[in-house]
Amino acid sequence: MTTVPDAPVTPTVPTDPAASAVRAARRRDRRVYTRSHPVLFALLAATRRSPVTRIGGTVLVHGTEPCRQALTRVPLDRAAPGTTGGAARELSAGGLLFDQEGTGHRAARRTLADDLGAAGVERLRPVWRDVLARRLAPLAAGRDVDLVPLARELAGATVRALLRTTGDPEGIAKAAAEAAALAVRDHLPGPRPPGTARAAAAAAARLEALLAPDRPGGEPEPALRAMLAVAAVSTTVAALPRAAAWCADARLWEQAADDRLRPALVAELLRVTAPSPLLPRVTAADADLDGCPVRSGDRLILVARHAARAHDRRPDALRPAPPAVAQLVFGAGPHACPGARLARAQLDDALAALAPHRPTVRRARVDRGAALPGWRSLTVRAGDVDRSGEER
């Protein structure tokens, strides 16, 4: 009797469902970069293994410590062309919130310190909670919800309440997004399309008109109000849907539902989404970054996404990144974003409202024209949840 030898057995490698989910989440989130700015993303990916890389007169800063040093120790020209401040000055001739120096900078910050502090955030909280309750109600009925229009209305309503204006929230958000998209073109390498400066100035004027205070007197000047609106709308519309997609794809809803873990998860998701992934700056004096000589007038591209380890460290509320690393997505030092507390509070409430539904992503489309990497639409639907709140 002839026997047939057994076929060789290929050992099976057990798969880690959690690791697979994280990979899927990262693949989806990477699309907001590769489909909106593919050339820039490829350049940054190719140079990220070096903490600091010079390409002609531009210095790319990827490392955590070099990025912090650039923000806190290197003298910067905050109004130079190609920087956030330079783009802002083209939008309006008035004062700026994030890039001023000296007494003007301190006075501008004091103007909004109360509204952006703990008490101010609590005053604003009912505004965005109302938007969340109304916009997310269809999930309970098994219907789809697009989180991008939700984020847009939430941001516009918050700006309206913060600046005490009567403008329509959707109109404010649309005008702020348009102004931001035009201004950000000055940040990116390459020539600007003809007429960009005129179009940006016109967009800023429309935004300033929508933000006129309902009771003039003691309010920030128009340019400051416009810059605050641009920052608030752009980052919220970029961050909130991306964070929700991470929770859905990486199976983080259990952490989002836990009141004790959610604050850490919020910080982790803001770190990983890095709503403002690049911080363009220009040096005002010679310096040294991680052994790389930097000359006065060099252009710095601070890659906050890489400095905060967004590209290789998964979000996890049980093992979060050190606060000093996570904070880099908001900058560092005296010019760090004053709206960080507001951003964390809004995302915390959004995750708390979404978590009971354990939503899954149904459809997602990248916004190729937005100022910051994000989704043009991100449609979710409630998952299959039993009475204990566990997904089935």
Side-chain angles (χ1 to χ4, degrees):
M1 179 178 179
T2 303
T3 60
V4 179
D6 292 337
V9 177
T10 303
T12 59
V13 179
T15 59
D16 180 355
S20 297
V22 169
R23 286 194 294 271
R26 195 176 293 284
R27 279 196 302 271
R28 185 196 299 278
D29 194 63
R30 193 180 292 122
R31 286 166 51 196
V32 301
Y33 297 98
T34 59
R35 298 196 180 183
S36 60
H37 301 295
V39 175
L40 180 61
F41 182 82
L43 171 65
L44 297 178
T47 59
R48 73 186 181 198
R49 295 190 184 280
S50 176
V52 183
T53 300
R54 174 179 288 281
I55 302 178
T58 297
V59 178
L60 300 175
V61 183
H62 298 272
T64 301
E65 199 52 40
C67 183
R68 185 180 296 109
Q69 291 173 3
L71 289 167
T72 59
R73 300 181 187 176
V74 177
L76 301 174
D77 181 352
R78 296 182 178 273
T83 66
T84 305
R89 289 192 187 282
E90 291 187 5
L91 287 177
S92 178
L96 309 177
L97 177 60
F98 304 116
D99 292 276
Q100 287 176 313
E101 298 284 358
T103 57
H105 171 74
R106 290 191 295 271
R109 293 230 170 196
R110 282 196 299 269
T111 300
L112 291 167
D114 290 342
D115 284 338
L116 293 174
V121 167
E122 288 306 311
R123 178 182 71 82
L124 294 169
R125 214 159 199 151
V127 174
W128 67 71
R129 282 182 170 175
D130 175 71
V131 175
L132 288 169
R134 178 166 35 82
R135 287 276 192 170
L136 294 179
L139 289 178
R143 299 199 298 273
D144 292 352
V145 171
D146 189 342
L147 296 183
V148 174
L150 178 153
R152 204 160 44 229
E153 182 185 353
L154 184 152
T158 302
V159 166
R160 182 176 68 170
L162 175 64
L163 298 180
R164 299 174 179 84
T165 184
T166 57
D168 171 63
E170 294 276 2
I172 290 172
K174 181 179 179 181
E178 181 183 8
L182 288 165
V184 81
R185 292 177 186 173
D186 194 38
H187 294 183
L188 300 179
R192 290 182 299 170
T196 297
R198 289 194 304 275
R206 289 192 293 272
L207 177 59
E208 289 181 7
L210 285 170
L211 297 175
D214 53 3
R215 292 186 301 276
E219 298 293 332
E221 61 184 64
L224 177 56
R225 297 163 67 82
M227 285 305 299
L228 180 64
V230 164
V233 170
S234 298
T235 54
T236 301
V237 174
L240 194 155
R242 287 177 61 195
W246 260 101
C247 284
D249 293 337
R251 303 176 184 177
L252 298 174
W253 289 126
E254 184 177 351
Q255 293 187 4
D258 190 323
D259 292 343
R260 297 166 299 176
L261 291 178
R262 194 167 54 251
L265 179 63
V266 165
E268 282 287 274
L269 289 170
L270 288 171
R271 176 183 64 81
V272 170
T273 57
S276 296
L278 304 181
L279 305 176
R281 300 290 187 265
V282 171
T283 57
D286 293 351
D288 179 275
L289 287 176
D290 199 51
C292 177
V294 178
R295 299 182 296 269
S296 177
D298 278 346
R299 187 179 188 190
L300 300 181
I301 301 295
L302 309 179
V303 189
R305 178 176 185 265
H306 294 163
R309 314 309 301 170
H311 62 296
D312 62 4
R313 180 165 181 161
R314 59 178 286 184
D316 188 349
L318 296 173
R319 289 170 289 276
V325 174
Q327 171 62 28
L328 285 176
V329 298
F330 293 106
H335 295 276
C337 175
R341 184 191 298 270
L342 181 67
R344 293 187 185 106
Q346 288 180 328
L347 184 54
D348 189 292
D349 284 346
L351 296 183
L354 284 164
H357 303 287
R358 302 299 199 272
T360 58
V361 177
R362 306 288 293 178
R363 293 177 298 279
R365 187 156 57 107
V366 172
D367 192 338
R368 299 174 187 269
L372 301 176
W375 299 107
R376 186 176 182 84
S377 66
L378 186 95
T379 304
V380 299
R381 183 181 298 176
D384 187 13
V385 182
D386 65 23
R387 291 184 180 180
S388 68
E390 295 295 327
E391 293 182 59
R392 293 200 298 266

